[in-house]
Amino acid sequence: RRHETPPRGPTSTAPLAQGAAISQSFIAQYGILTDVRVLLSGEGRSNNAPVRLSIYASPEAAFPLATSIKPGRLISENKWYNFSIGRLVVNKGTTYYIRLSSATNADGEPVTAWYNQQYLYPSGQWYLNGIAQQGNLYFGVLGHNGPDTRDSST
């Protein structure tokens, strides 16, 4: 099962340049998270820097709960990219944070992350370098519930 924001409304991209941190908050719909999908653009380049996706328990957390790295050479098109995070057990109903980061490639052009200027996912917010921005990233969190699911509402 998955939860993705639909691609509609006014959109733009934010560069994952060296030092930039792009984040999105979300409420865990499942007790076990397995994958995160993000709409990225590599502008047709085959020399992009790797993109790191991490999940944090809070914006201030020093260490991620999970991390996945996508090789930059695989990010060349304008499409959804899947980041597998294994089997991350979380508290269903709790807010978590996706953080994307990368470096600038040798030509000085970074991969970009698509966002929608409308709030298509009202339970979340996207951030650029820790500052709240209007709208949401195009993202999806995949997972499932299992016998070890923890529900924060109980």
Side-chain angles (χ1 to χ4, degrees):
R1 294 173 27 160
R2 63 182 167 173
H3 177 83
E4 291 183 0
T5 55
R8 63 175 185 235
T11 62
S12 192
T13 58
L16 291 170
Q18 183 70 41
I22 294 176
S23 304
Q24 171 74 46
S25 62
F26 70 96
I27 295 175
Q29 302 297 309
Y30 314 105
I32 301 166
L33 307 181
T34 58
D35 298 89
V36 177
R37 293 183 181 162
V38 183
L39 188 58
L40 299 174
S41 177
E43 302 296 334
R45 296 181 300 269
S46 60
N47 65 339
N48 287 311
V51 173
R52 174 186 303 267
L53 180 141
S54 299
I55 296 182
Y56 289 84
S58 73
E60 302 81 23
F63 300 102
L65 301 172
T67 296
S68 179
I69 298 173
K70 181 72 61 183
R73 64 180 161 67
L74 299 179
I75 303 173
S76 61
E77 298 178 40
N78 205 22
K79 68 176 195 174
W80 290 94
Y81 289 91
N82 190 70
F83 292 82
S84 180
I85 56 170
R87 189 174 181 277
L88 177 62
V89 177
V90 296
N91 290 319
K92 181 178 174 182
T94 298
T95 300
Y96 293 92
Y97 297 82
I98 298 165
R99 187 177 305 158
L100 295 164
S101 60
S102 186
T104 303
N105 71 9
D107 295 335
E109 298 295 327
V111 168
T112 58
W114 282 94
Y115 66 91
N116 192 298
Q117 295 173 357
Q118 295 177 349
Y119 290 95
L120 298 178
Y121 179 65
S123 300
Q125 175 72 53
W126 87 276
Y127 302 85
L128 178 59
N129 296 324
I131 299 170
Q133 305 294 311
Q134 180 177 338
N136 298 113
L137 292 180
Y138 284 114
F139 77 104
V141 177
L142 285 70
H144 58 88
N145 292 314
D148 49 356
T149 296
R150 299 179 301 217
D151 192 333
S152 66
S153 64
T154 57

